[in-house]
Amino acid sequence: MQPRIKAILQMEPSEETVKAEGWVRTKRDSKNVCFLEVNDGSCLKGLQCVIDKGVIPSCVLDRIGTGASVLAEGKIVPSQGGNQKTEMAVTALTLIGECPADYPLQKKRHTVEFLREKAYLRPRTNLFGAVMRVRSSMAYAVHSFFQENGFVYVNTPLISASDCEGAGAQFQVTTLDLENVPKTEDGKVDYSKDFFGKMANLTVSGQLEGETYATAMKNIYTFGPTFRAENSNTARHLAEFWMIEPEMAFCTLEGDMEWAEKFLKYVFSYVLEKNSEDMEFFSKFVLDGVVDTLRHVIESPFAHMTYTDAIKVLEPENDRFEFPVKWGVEIQSEHERFLTEEVAKRPVIVTDYPKDIKAFYMKMNDDGETVRAMDVLAPRLGEIIGGSEREYRYDVLIKRMEELGLKAEDYWWYLDLRKYGTVPHAGFGLGFERAVQYVTGVANIRDVIPYPRYVKSCEY
Ligand code: 4AD
Ligand code: MG
């Protein structure tokens, strides 16, 4: 195994021969010397390889251009140029894979829109390399946070027969022949002939199954793909995204909010520490000051307000909104941004939303109108976390489901939890890509996941 370029860049000059492998980012020629910058994705910087044209024959050098894969051998020496401390004085060079001139990633800066169309090559750019390293660190931090705090990692199913959010934005999973769908006598689709013998969908959330494990193991979390067939063509919606869903038994909304804040701050701190070079890059080229903003967020407590108070703050500002608010309506991203950017100037946790705009499983407040929901709103993005205390009282839950026209028999196992040793419990879901967007400052969610899926787009 050869050392990664990140490690080579930290080596002191020595007589030892080092081997470096990677892809050529740039090639510069002078009369006697050729410079190759070789990058292997381990860090932003590449290794400057200095090639004496008397040592490596031109028949090899001429075939090496941007994008080619190479193995370079040589000594690490102090660099003559000012851009790096050390460089490699190459003694042997192997061209592994040639890269012809039609390579789409030329030296100039490309737009994210152009790169989205070359999604299979974009990890070779500075921007996407940095985003993917940060995304990977954040995933690691998610696991460390919960593991260090005694949470059990539970893998909830991706194919599900229940609709957690009750929003109907599900992708159906079927093996029925769509050209020749079997029908029952009354003309409906005969799902008994389908693969599972009933209708099935891709999951919109692992929460309901997560609750069954929390009410046995106390604290659990999930971290997996989630699918929503929402017709939302925005910079913060995907049809396939990753969600982290912790669920805590013997826990109310207050505990839920404490966990959410502690969790976000842990993940942000981890990235600032481990990915400082990439974070500086984002601050410089993507969003001015994103590092300072994150530091500020880590250091200050999140603001809290109820939905009712939020409406009181928003209503006098209705003139500036595309969608004016009044009590009972959904808070949209423009309102979320106003609350975080103009009012609180930091993340805000909004609680106690009207029951009619939230899911069936949320605990009803004594007023009979609002539920124990909480959304964490972040400046720039709006909602990044949605959570709640769950309705753990059997009678109240059944009544709420009836009101919403949900059939008890479809949720029989979920209701059983309220029969057998029921307990206050709460949880939340963090949209992983929204968190990556927040940390990196990248404006569009399609640029923080390798292969974005959204309305009318399923490339690669
Ligand atoms: O608010 P949501 O819909 O909550 C739930 O799914 C609950 N079951 C979570 C829980 O309590 N266990 O989604 C949670 C988060 C949102 O705050 C948002 O960050 C993200 O998931 N999210 C999306 N991210 C990208 N694309 C989409 N279409 C998203 N929909 C939700
Ligand atoms: Mg939500």
Side-chain angles (χ1 to χ4, degrees), residues 358 375 383 386:
K358 287 292 180 188
D375 280 1
E383 177 190 342

Side-chain angles (χ1 to χ4, degrees), residues 139-163:
Y140 186 81
V142 165
H143 283 292
S144 329
F145 176 80
F146 289 117
Q147 297 287 333
E148 282 168 16
N149 283 290
F151 283 62
V152 174
Y153 176 41
V154 176
N155 299 119
T156 49
L158 299 189
I159 300 176
S160 167
S162 52
D163 179 0

Side-chain angles (χ1 to χ4, degrees), residues 356-405:
D356 294 336
I357 57 170
K358 287 292 180 188
F360 75 96
Y361 51 70
M362 298 188 179
K363 189 183 174 218
M364 187 68 72
N365 279 318
D366 293 342
D367 61 12
E369 287 300 326
T370 59
V371 288
R372 298 248 75 192
M374 66 104 175
D375 280 1
V376 180
L377 316 180
R380 276 197 335 268
L381 275 180
E383 177 190 342
I384 61 169
I385 281 182
S388 68
E389 184 174 339
R390 318 306 186 191
E391 185 53 79
Y392 69 100
R393 298 162 297 186
Y394 186 91
D395 303 344
V396 184
L397 183 58
I398 271 277
K399 201 173 138 251
R400 184 79 187 118
M401 288 173 64
E402 274 166 12
E403 266 174 38
L404 291 168

Side-chain angles (χ1 to χ4, degrees), residues 134 138 244 264 267-268 294 380-381 384 430-441 445 448:
V134 164
M138 288 175 71
I244 298 125
L264 284 177
V267 175
F268 297 167
L294 275 189
R380 276 197 335 268
L381 275 180
I384 61 169
L430 170 69
F432 188 51
E433 285 73 20
R434 290 203 189 162
V436 179
Q437 264 187 293
Y438 189 62
V439 166
T440 58
I445 197 166
V448 297

Side-chain angles (χ1 to χ4, degrees), residues 276-292:
S276 51
E277 190 194 35
D278 291 327
M279 290 305 301
E280 287 306 327
F281 172 83
F282 296 128
S283 254
K284 222 161 141 188
F285 295 110
V286 177
L287 184 72
D288 190 25
V290 69
V291 167
D292 293 336

